[in-house]
Amino acid sequence: MNKPTHRFTLLLAVVAALGSVLFFPHIATATPTWTDDAQITANGATTNQAPLFLSGSDGSITAITVETVSSTYSVLARRSIDGGVTWGAPTLLSASGVASADATVVKLNNGHFAVAFAEASGTSGVNQIRLVTSSNNGLTWGSAQTISTAGGAAYAATHPHLAAFGTTELVVGFQQSDGAHDRATVRYSQSQLQSWTQGQTLSASGSDARFVTPVVNATGDVVVSWILVASGTTQQTQIAGSSNWLTVTTLTSNAVAGVPHVPAVVALPTGAFVVLWADPDLNPSYTVTARISSNAGLAWDVGIPISSTAFPNEITAVVTADGGIAAAWSMGTGGYTYIQTSYSSPTSTPSPSPSASPSSSSSASPWPTTTGAGSAWSTPLNISPSVTGQFYTNPQLALSPDGKVAMVLKQNVSSTFATGSSVSTDNGATWPQGVQSITSWQSSPSSISSVSIGALTGQGFIYGWQTTSNGNPDKGFVRVYGWEASSSSSSTPTPTLPATGSV
């Protein structure tokens, strides 16, 4: 799940019972380092996605995997209380013996954990979206809820993505078949996850939607993006917001053929949303373009090109500790692929009118309606080698509570594979170490399939990846950066949460 990041998650102590003693990691004084590689999946099992992570208010880490149990893909949770050095026995979150996939995670604003996934159900085996939650840092998990609309065998629901809002509520975006095509669908919870609104279908009939991803701002407004597969490999980037779900904006007037250019959307502290996507309207090469909406996705400003023109893809972005935006993407050119980054300050002023603007937006104002993050960007920075035969792809970003921005990615140098990382201490403006390898290099047929990253409570990051062998799913691994155990314990009352509105 180019998996979406949730920017306004509050780092809260969850008191499971009166008098609970909570343990917090303290800020490290030494230079943090990565732990050794640790295989997290069971011996003999295979996984079909990179591990996902949830950080507990007690300093624990919960890892979510989708791996085989008795030859059936199942969703499992494991906990570590020593910074990922060792992991406890797995807890089965999906139904026993029932095929499951597409796991996604989020931490609610009261500190509870939520995991959603697609699970086969009934005699037809049609996929439904399930949700499980934990109120005690992953120690125990509640019963699964069904989120998607029930239907016959043709009405499968898959690929959920979660976003938290308010104190205890969730938004879920997913693909729901109408019997012929997968439609972008959104639902949100009410009454502390006890009830759900009727599903709102966003994408047009007659086409398939992919990568349905919701993002929520601090006042509860929601924006959902997706890729519309109009016909064959013809794909377009679309977006809609809770101000009026029926107003769908197609970010590109020209269709994108081949690899889907999935957008990255962030919600700023100001309430505005910023979308980044690879815009094929800026021919002859795609350009990463930023657009701003100040009214929950009802209207978007004219795009600002922020990348060089070398076919960018795999865009990722996070809101930084100062309220700015750090973004990264892979850039493909003759014989190699590298990672490019850019930073947008919260005190930015609008950039001059771009030299080339999307033809689909020619009737809109050439200036952003707001100043601040998203309205001007730093010069694109190449942080990985540009060498023929070297490929750096699939960047993922995470923001640590102590303000660092970490990136993980895949490396392929002459068909030898590893994973890499880079850490920025100035909100993503610079990456002084460039890309550093953090796994042992593996020669084909072993390869890195997908990567993921999560931030830890207090400080630090946890990173996961999936390997393949001879092109088939294989194992899941983790490494942890900058975690330290608490040297003392303290009893901490549950904080009073600010009101953040509702959807």
Side-chain angles (χ1 to χ4, degrees):
M1 147 214 153
N2 195 335
K3 286 198 145 212
T5 304
H6 307 286
R7 265 91 19 208
F8 65 99
T9 299
L10 305 179
L11 302 170
L12 305 175
V14 179
V15 181
L18 289 176
S20 293
V21 177
L22 303 178
F23 297 87
F24 290 84
H26 64 74
I27 300 300
T29 56
T31 301
T33 58
W34 289 98
T35 62
D36 293 334
D37 298 6
Q39 181 181 324
I40 196 170
T41 52
N43 289 330
T46 61
T47 182
N48 67 2
Q49 65 180 74
L52 304 173
F53 307 106
L54 292 157
S55 181
S57 58
D58 58 354
S60 65
I61 308 168
T62 296
I64 305 299
T65 61
V66 180
E67 63 185 277
T68 51
V69 177
S70 300
S71 301
T72 301
Y73 277 116
S74 305
V75 182
L76 303 177
R78 293 176 175 85
R79 295 181 81 244
S80 175
I81 59 173
D82 58 8
V85 177
T86 60
W87 295 85
T91 298
L92 182 65
L93 302 185
S94 55
S96 179
V98 179
S100 301
D102 307 334
T104 185
V105 304
V106 73
K107 190 174 181 180
L108 278 69
N109 291 329
N110 62 358
H112 293 188
F113 295 169
V115 179
F117 48 90
E119 180 183 273
S121 71
T123 57
S124 64
V126 62
N127 283 339
Q128 298 270 290
I129 304 302
R130 309 289 196 209
L131 177 78
V132 294
T133 60
S134 173
S135 61
N136 54 11
N137 297 306
L139 278 169
T140 59
W141 296 83
S143 300
Q145 295 186 56
T146 300
I147 305 304
S148 55
T149 305
Y155 296 87
T158 58
H159 295 88
H161 290 89
L162 298 173
F165 73 94
T167 304
T168 60
E169 309 301 343
L170 288 173
V171 179
V172 57
F174 55 96
Q175 298 168 202
Q176 174 86 57
S177 175
D178 61 7
H181 295 278
D182 288 340
R183 309 282 295 279
T185 305
V186 63
R187 297 188 78 182
Y188 53 91
S189 70
Q190 300 171 318
S191 303
Q192 301 182 41
L193 303 178
Q194 296 306 302
S195 62
W196 293 80
T197 62
Q198 182 177 355
Q200 174 69 51
T201 301
L202 306 177
S203 60
S205 61
S207 299
D208 290 310
R210 299 285 185 266
F211 306 100
V212 184
T213 307
V215 175
V216 186
N217 68 11
T219 58
D221 299 318
V222 185
V223 160
V224 180
S225 62
W226 65 91
I227 298 293
L228 188 72
V229 183
S231 62
T233 58
T234 301
Q235 304 179 13
Q236 294 178 309
T237 303
Q238 295 190 324
I239 197 164
S242 55
S243 55
N244 186 346
W245 290 122
L246 299 180
T247 301
V248 174
T249 299
T250 299
L251 295 173
T252 55
S253 62
N254 294 329
V256 180
V259 177
H261 292 257
V262 180
V265 183
V266 295
L268 298 174
T270 60
F273 292 88
V274 178
V275 59
L276 307 177
W277 85 103
D279 191 348
D281 286 340
L282 300 180
N283 290 321
S285 298
Y286 299 141
T287 303
V288 175
T289 302
R291 291 179 75 176
I292 302 171
S293 175
S294 300
N295 53 10
L298 187 63
W300 296 84
D301 290 318
V302 165
I304 302 171
I306 66 172
S307 75
S308 8
T309 55
F311 300 100
N313 198 14
E314 302 173 323
I315 307 166
T316 180
V318 293
V319 174
T320 54
D322 65 346
I325 305 170
W329 50 87
S330 63
M331 296 290 289
T333 187
Y336 60 88
T337 303
Y338 60 95
I339 303 298
Q340 196 171 80
T341 68
S342 186
Y343 166 67
S344 185
S345 166
T347 58
S348 295
T349 56
S351 300
S353 181
S355 57
S357 58
S359 59
S360 58
S361 305
S362 58
S363 61
S365 167
W367 297 93
T369 58
T370 59
T371 60
S375 60
W377 294 78
S378 64
T379 301
L381 180 66
N382 177 11
I383 66 166
S384 60
S386 301
V387 180
T388 298
Q390 297 190 12
F391 299 90
Y392 295 79
T393 60
N394 198 208
Q396 303 290 314
L397 295 177
L399 174 70
S400 174
D402 64 357
K404 297 183 180 69
V405 181
M407 180 192 305
V408 295
L409 47 84
K410 298 193 296 184
Q411 297 173 273
N412 175 350
V413 177
S414 300
S415 298
T416 303
F417 303 88
T419 57
S421 74
S422 192
V423 177
S424 172
T425 58
D426 58 5
N427 299 303
T430 62
W431 303 80
Q433 294 181 322
V435 174
Q436 306 292 311
S437 295
I438 58 174
T439 65
S440 300
W441 288 94
Q442 303 177 72
S443 297
S444 186
S446 293
S447 180
I448 307 298
S449 176
S450 59
V451 298
S452 62
I453 188 170
L456 303 179
T457 300
Q459 65 154 20
F461 302 92
I462 183 167
Y463 163 54
W465 67 97
Q466 176 202 13
T467 62
T468 62
S469 180
N470 291 309
N472 298 314
D474 199 13
K475 302 176 180 65
F477 293 86
V478 298
R479 293 188 81 176
V480 177
Y481 176 88
W483 185 94
E484 281 200 359
S486 174
S487 58
S488 62
S489 62
S490 62
S491 296
T492 306
T494 303
T496 300
L497 290 168
T500 57
S502 60
V503 178

